[in-house]
Amino acid sequence: MPKLRIEGGNSLCGVIDIQGAKNSILPIMAATLVADGECIIENCPDISDTHTALEILRTLGALVKHRGRTVYVDCRNVIDYEIPDALMRKMRSSVIFLGALLTRHRKAVISFPGGCELGPRPIDLHLSALEKMGVTIREEFGSLYCTCPRLVGCEIPLSFPSVGATENIMLAAVRAKGVTVITNAAREPEIEDLQNFLNEMGADVCGAGSSTVIVRGVDSLAGCSHRVIPDRIVTATYLCAVAATRGNALLRKTCPRHNAALLSALRQCGCEIEAQEDYLRIACDALFSARRIRTMPYPGFPTDAQAPFMGLMCVAKGSTVFVETIFENRYKHISELQRMGARITPEGRVAVVEGVPRLHGASVCATDLRGGAALMIAALAADGISEITDIYHIDRGYERPEWVLSQLGARISRIE
Ligand code: EPZ
């Protein structure tokens, strides 16, 4: 079982480039299904979730090739409409293929998505929206059989600004009959990136980034070229790693305006941050607690940054109260952080972190993608050696973290 071995205690200094966004490339990969032509996607992160998405497309019959971080996808020969259960289980966000498959085939078969380390991951908002658009959904033996004579646009008020549901509706609406208006839509930058990708194909989508997204159905969509936005959560993770080690670094090829809430929290904790169009500089000498962190839908503090930021607050001066409002069970990393000497008291959706002067190295186990990132941050700040197992969680969203962190002087290695 591969693991990461980290010798903590030295300050991270240097320059790194930020990868493309995992949570952008996944819906964009699904969107290639609605195009009648080849799509060229640049800045594709080399992570296991990308590989899984490409495997799903190949399984459906798409022609896929990639050179470095550019992926070429041609779905003109796709005739299949069923995603194998094994692939659905590999990545919960596979549900994002549903809307695009219905646009292409007017039918789709998927099993209930897996990968739910964060508590129950229902898809009721996705399914009720698709039913409003004319889809008939039958559940049998854990699979969903979806058919529709014609997707028809309509008003879809979301009870919660679900990222995945917003994306699935957009993908079902792009070639539907009439207009679809999504209200209380998710406002994440990845929604805007998907809108831009679809419009580059010839779609008519507007409003992404606001709470109301309007999609006017068109008859056909062509292939296109697109560059994926930088990953704002990977940016957040490495900012926390530098701050936790009292370091000084330059992060290039990122998009600071996507991280406003996080940057505000880091500045409140005593970090000096210079933010320009596509790079960030961070320096941290003394680290204070953020006092209160409440995760919210974008543009609030991102739930995906909660665990990495908690890793940072473990070594801040003072106490921080975390309130996780998005997911029910997103504190699994706490018990592993406690093994390193962290003082954290979880209570339902609240967790109180009392900063300590030093953590100590330990053998710990990644519990999920962002929980694993929290352990990397804590290990880099700790005295002594740590080993992190189950790093397949981390590899889902971080491209070669040991290589990137080594660029900043971290003493880290991957042991196969
Ligand atoms: C996306 O997940 C991201 N994943 C998540 O990132 C991120 O944490 C999340 O949005 C919130 O920002 C991708 O984009 C691939 P949601 P998604 O639908 O779409 C409830 C990471 O670490 N809900 O906005 O699944 C749901 O249970 C991952 O990169 C319903 O109740 O998130 C959750 O409590 C983790 N019914 C909340 O809404 C539904 O039909 C947010 O879910 C859908 C969601």
Side-chain angles (χ1 to χ4, degrees), residues 6-7 10-13 380 402 405-412:
I6 297 172
E7 182 181 350
N10 66 315
S11 296
L12 299 188
C13 298
L380 288 163
E402 72 279 6
L405 289 165
S406 299
Q407 302 295 303
L408 296 177
R411 292 189 288 260
I412 177 172

Side-chain angles (χ1 to χ4, degrees), residues 272-310:
E272 282 173 46
I273 291 177
E274 179 200 352
Q276 297 297 334
E277 178 66 22
D278 62 353
Y279 72 81
L280 277 162
R281 280 186 196 285
I282 178 168
C284 181
D285 297 325
L287 184 70
F288 304 97
S289 83
R291 304 175 64 74
R292 186 179 176 81
I293 292 290
R294 184 185 183 82
T295 64
M296 294 295 283
Y298 194 89
F301 191 96
T303 174
D304 295 346
Q306 175 256 109
F309 200 83
M310 186 179 287

Side-chain angles (χ1 to χ4, degrees), residues 22-23 26 92-93 118 120-126 160-164 188 303-304 326-327 330 369-370:
K22 168 182 87 78
N23 292 349
L26 297 178
R92 187 214 169 265
S93 31
L118 311 177
R121 299 284 293 278
I123 56 171
D124 56 311
L125 299 177
H126 299 242
F160 178 84
S162 156
V163 172
E188 274 72 2
T303 174
D304 295 346
I326 308 293
F327 287 104
R330 201 166 196 174
L369 168 58
R370 307 304 177 185

